Every structure is written in structure tokens, then in C-alpha cells.
Amino acid sequence: MTIAPSRPEPGNAAVTSATAVAAPAYDRADWASSFRNVGTELSSVPLPAASGTIPTELSGSLYRNGPGRLERGGRWVHHPFDGDGMITAMRFEGGEARLSNRFVRTQGWLAEEEAGKVLYRGVFGSQKPGGPLANAFDLRLKNIANTHVVRLGEKLLALWEASSPHSLDPTSLETKGVELLGGVLAEGEAFSAHPRFDPGHHGQQRMVTFGVKAGPRSTIRLMEFDASPGAAAGQLVADQKRSFKGFAFLHDFAITPNWAVFLQNAMSFNPLGFVLGWKGAAQCLDSKPGERGQFWLIPRAGDGEPLQVSAPEGFVFHHLNAFEDPTAGAAGQVVVDSIFYDDFPTIGPGVDFRAVDFDTLPIGQLKRCRIDLASGEVSTELLEERCCEFAMVNPQRVGLEARYAWMAVTEQERGNAPLQAIEKLDLISGERRIWSAAPRGFVSEPVMVPRPRPEGAQPPAEDDGWILCVVWNGARCASDLVILNAADLSEQAVLPMPLALPHGLHGSWAAAA
């Protein structure tokens, strides 16, 4: 391997050193131009490659979720996370791809479409017209179904963590309605937008997920569903509730074969501003300076008491992975890799999200925490200093020690900026490879798709497969789908999309049956 003497050219992969290089200028207008309404819905439109070729072994669907409507009746959302959810599906078969997209027809979306105006407040500060007086004491929240989308058996679930999932047809993307999973969920019950898919630690594939009822004492409901192919997919196989002292702000978690790992950030919640109509619910959250969060380790088997240990200072939205190290310490260790911020990143009430100053926002850095199960001591190691987000491992390594991670990173090596590159990080050697979309491209969450293998064949290498990533192309004010080789991040194909997708949130891959 060679060390690149300077930043890689756009669209190329290279090994980078840990030495800082001059940050290229990016045009804020290019980045902000993504924030718009999606004005069309497409059905199975061919998606030819403008360069390269689509791998013929890539067979299945890439689903993406994110805000597709950010303005209604001339009134913009205060934060893009308040935008209505829209699902995009890219289906691959025989070296060809087809594109479909649909808004999730939630009750709130339908009501506002019919009215032609904003009827609901948003969690992140978006208000109804009329000022505080019109918003005061209106505590209704519109289920916007905009955060994640996953396949569970024959159901495609659009997820928003504050309420029920919505079920969609996996092919047409038509909304079937609120999904209570055969009566497992109560109407409106919180259901995480961050399930973890257990690849088979207990003899079957499982979707492990949770819901939170937050308050001075918070309750986590941990649920596990059969996710193996076949008629049993979607059946509840494990269900437990655990309560903990303190307010829980939990967006993500991690799993190992034996543990579900949560990090309770050191946060407080004062709902007065929300009740009186001048803040969104999320804007009522505050970090507690000088206080540490708590790791909550819940035994997945349901027996025994959860473990609570002090976490490092900082705030965590997302975890990369977790695994068990039985050789370390008297009782072994649980190792958790997470993206830490120095403080809770937020956009104030008077700030236009399209004009946010990146230099004022804390950066996210990948850190490894080793939790000693006997002593409760936690040691921390910095794995990636470059600002990063949306990290994942090979799906077959979820809950196990993984060698490689893929994540969205800033083009510049220090400080904060828009995410413009994809990084492959060797978690053992520390070697890095970078594919860059700069200066006019902006990346979303990468999705790693392992190369399929014939039944009975030896498992492929951990980094044998592809990285799929939707990229905002500022040069043409539209989105591209980029396919990279997961091993070296070489560009396999670029598929220009006939859609302009706002910067999205999460997505998943569903292999063809």
C-alpha cells in the first residue's frame, strides 16, 4: 500500500495518512441545494450506469428513507428531521437497476396534503402558523415515518422512533397503514428506528429492537423478532421490559450474542417550552455538563439483572458494533464502538438549518469502550479522529468482532464540515482507505452488501462485497447512486438518478429471495 501525498482526486480511492492536509473549499450552496421537496413519484424506472458497470451478482433491493417534503404552503420546517418520510427503492437484478419512490401515506401527511398547509408541530422545532399562541398546549405529534426502512419477512417497515411503524408493499411501496406487528405493539407505542439484525447467534436470524418510555424513571422494552426467510418471519420470539433511573434519550443501541447495550446520555428534559408552544420537544433536551452517561447492559436471555456502568463523557447518537471478549478480565469484557460528540449537536430556534455554521458544531469521532464485566471499569480508545457518522460493519459480523468498518466522513481530516467521503477503516491495523465525492458531492450513509455465496461454499472475505451510497451531486442538483468495491473502495459504477433527494437518514439492503 502507498501513502497518498495529498488528498485523493474526486471519485478515486486512496490510502490516506494520519497527517492533516489542506482542506478543500466546498460550496455551501451545493450542500444546501439538496434541501427541497421531492416533486415526483416514480415506479420501476430504469437506472442505467453513466460510468462503470453494475455487478451482476448484486441481486436485491436497496431501500432508503429520509425527509422528502421540507416545505408546505411556503412554510419550511425548522429542522430537516421534521420532514415527511419518503422511501426510495433501487432494485438490482442481472446487472440492471430500477428506481421507485413513494411518500409514506401517514395520517398526518394525508391530512396536510388535503389541507394544503401545515397542521402539526415538529419534534425538532417546526411550528404551526400563528406563533406560540397557536402552538401552545397542542402536544400532538405527526408520525412522519422518515428515519429508517427495513424488510421483515414480507413486510417493509418505515420507522420513526416516537411511534408505530408503517407497513408498505416491498415492491410497489404503497402504504398499507400503521403496523402493530400482530398485536405486539399498542397503538402509538414507541418503536425504535434502529433495529439490529442478529445474523444467527441463536440459531436463527433475528431483528432485535426496542421502545422507550422516558421520564424520571425510564423503561426499555426489548423485543426480538424472527427474521429468517420463511413463513415465521416477523413472529415475536423474545420480549422483556427493564426500568432504569433517569431520563433516557436513546436513538441507537448495539447487540452481542448475550447482551443488548444501551448508552444513556447525560441529558435532562424540561417540557415547559414545548407545552407553551415556543420550542419543539427535542429542543427541550439539554446536556448535563460534567456528568457522565451510563451504559445499560441488558441480558438478551431475559434472566439476571442488567449491568449499569459509567460511560465516558460525551454524547452518542450511533454505535458501530459491539462484541464480547471472553479472554479479557476475570469475567470477560463487552466492547462497544460508538461515535462520540463532545456535546449534544443541536440547531437553535433562531438558526436556519441551511445556513448552519459547521465550525460551531461538535465533531463525531469513533471511539472504542471496553467494559469489564467483573469490575465495571471502562477504558476508552480513539479509533478515528476524522469527523465521521453512519458507520457499519459487514452484516454477518454484527455482534462479533469485526476487522473492517465503513463510514461517511468529512473530506478534511480535522474539524467539522459536510460529509463528502466514504472511509474504510481497518479496526486492527488502523489503515484507512478513502473514496471522495468532493468538491461538489455529499455522501449519505453507506450500506455494505456482502457478496453472495453458493450454499456450502466457504464464507467470502469480510470485505468482499460492495458499498452502496446515495450521493448528492451539487453539479447537477440531483442524486447519484455510487457502487464501490468494499475491499479497496474502487468505483464500480455511478448511476445518475432522475430524482433530487434531500440529504437522507438511514437505509438497508434486502437480498433477493
Side-chain angles (χ1 to χ4, degrees):
M1 291 186 176
T2 58
I3 302 297
S6 60
R7 72 177 183 88
E9 292 299 313
N12 292 332
V15 179
T16 60
S17 70
T19 304
V21 296
Y26 65 88
D27 190 332
R28 176 181 294 277
D30 279 341
W31 171 77
S33 64
S34 168
F35 295 116
R36 56 181 65 206
N37 287 340
V38 178
T40 187
E41 294 182 319
L42 305 174
S43 296
S44 197
V45 172
L47 203 60
S51 64
T53 57
I54 300 171
T56 57
E57 293 173 275
L58 201 56
S59 181
S61 296
L62 173 67
Y63 295 105
R64 296 283 308 167
N65 199 352
R69 177 178 282 279
L70 301 170
E71 171 272 334
R72 192 182 294 275
R75 189 174 185 86
W76 283 80
V77 296
H78 174 71
H79 193 292
F81 290 176
D82 282 338
D84 290 292
M86 189 195 70
I87 308 301
T88 306
M90 287 140 281
R91 297 185 176 84
F92 298 86
E93 183 179 6
E96 297 182 345
R98 290 185 171 272
L99 170 71
S100 300
N101 71 297
R102 287 286 185 282
F103 280 94
V104 185
R105 264 66 172 175
T106 66
Q107 183 181 13
W109 186 90
L110 291 169
E112 289 187 334
E113 281 289 293
E114 183 176 354
K117 62 180 181 180
V118 174
L119 301 175
Y120 297 87
R121 304 170 67 183
V123 169
F124 289 87
S126 303
Q127 301 285 68
K128 298 186 303 181
L133 188 62
N135 288 273
F137 304 105
D138 184 355
L139 308 185
R140 299 173 303 155
L141 291 176
K142 178 176 62 168
N143 185 334
I144 48 181
N146 73 352
T147 310
H148 202 353
V149 54
V150 297
R151 184 80 179 261
L152 182 62
E154 295 303 311
K155 296 177 180 178
L156 185 66
L157 302 179
L159 305 177
W160 184 63
E161 62 198 37
S163 191
S164 311
H166 281 75
S167 181
L168 294 85
D169 184 280
T171 302
S172 70
L173 303 184
E174 291 182 28
T175 303
K176 296 183 176 181
V178 170
E179 177 59 62
L180 302 182
L181 298 171
V184 171
L185 301 177
E187 186 80 33
E189 181 178 351
F191 192 77
S192 171
H194 254 289
R196 293 284 174 170
F197 282 83
D198 180 327
H201 301 316
H202 299 276
Q204 64 181 174
Q205 298 173 43
R206 294 185 181 183
M207 185 180 84
V208 187
T209 192
F210 68 97
V212 179
K213 186 175 182 180
R217 187 169 182 84
S218 298
T219 299
I220 295 175
R221 183 183 183 188
L222 184 66
M223 296 162 277
E224 305 198 16
F225 297 87
D226 189 337
S228 303
Q235 290 186 5
L236 185 70
V237 295
D239 189 6
Q240 59 175 303
K241 291 183 178 180
R242 303 290 184 135
S243 294
F244 301 86
K245 183 180 178 180
F247 179 84
F249 180 86
L250 302 171
H251 175 63
D252 191 12
F253 77 129
I255 61 170
T256 72
N258 295 302
W259 301 97
V261 183
F262 297 84
L263 198 162
Q264 176 203 22
N265 293 292
M267 303 289 291
S268 63
F269 178 70
N270 182 350
L272 185 62
F274 177 57
V275 173
L276 296 180
W278 48 276
K279 280 186 176 182
Q283 293 174 314
C284 297
L285 291 166
D286 284 304
S287 58
K288 296 179 177 180
E291 291 193 25
R292 293 175 179 267
Q294 290 259 319
F295 279 115
W296 296 342
L297 278 67
I298 299 177
R300 287 179 58 187
D303 52 358
E305 291 302 312
L307 300 180
Q308 300 183 59
V309 298
S310 181
E313 290 188 25
F315 179 89
V316 171
F317 277 121
H318 295 125
H319 303 282
L320 166 65
N321 192 33
F323 63 93
E324 299 168 23
D325 184 353
T327 66
Q333 294 180 343
V334 170
V335 185
V336 190
D337 295 340
S338 313
I339 296 173
F340 278 83
Y341 295 83
D342 287 341
D343 199 0
F344 174 48
T346 186
I347 298 177
V351 178
D352 184 340
F353 67 85
R354 292 162 294 186
V356 66
D357 182 357
F358 282 92
D359 290 335
T360 66
L361 297 177
I363 64 172
Q365 296 177 311
L366 183 64
K367 296 182 180 181
R368 170 164 289 180
C369 295
R370 287 186 166 270
I371 304 170
D372 190 284
L373 296 177
S375 68
E377 293 182 356
V378 179
S379 62
T380 306
E381 174 189 0
L382 179 64
L383 298 179
E384 180 51 80
E385 191 171 4
R386 187 191 294 251
C387 183
C388 59
E389 253 300 350
F390 300 129
M392 77 173 302
V393 298
N394 183 313
Q396 296 302 314
R397 303 303 298 175
V398 169
L400 304 174
E401 185 173 10
R403 176 157 190 171
Y404 302 111
W406 295 267
M407 65 198 80
V409 299
T410 55
E411 170 73 6
Q412 63 192 50
E413 293 190 30
R414 300 293 179 268
N416 209 338
L419 302 171
Q420 292 191 279
I422 300 299
E423 175 177 299
K424 177 194 178 188
L425 173 64
D426 188 321
L427 296 166
I428 296 177
S429 72
E431 289 182 306
R432 297 160 176 81
R433 281 190 173 271
I434 298 286
W435 175 89
S436 174
R440 304 197 69 182
F442 303 87
V443 304
S444 60
E445 175 189 61
V447 174
M448 194 276 172
V449 180
R451 187 183 302 275
R453 62 186 176 98
E455 189 173 346
Q458 288 294 319
E462 187 179 326
D463 59 353
D464 188 8
W466 304 275
I467 300 298
L468 307 184
C469 184
V470 174
V471 176
W472 176 254
N473 186 332
R476 67 183 191 93
C477 280
S479 302
D480 298 332
L481 179 66
V482 176
I483 304 174
L484 307 175
N485 183 306
D488 60 10
L489 296 191
S490 58
E491 208 170 87
Q492 303 295 286
V494 177
L495 285 61
M497 300 168 65
L499 281 176
L501 299 178
H503 299 298
L505 295 171
H506 296 295
S508 62
W509 172 259

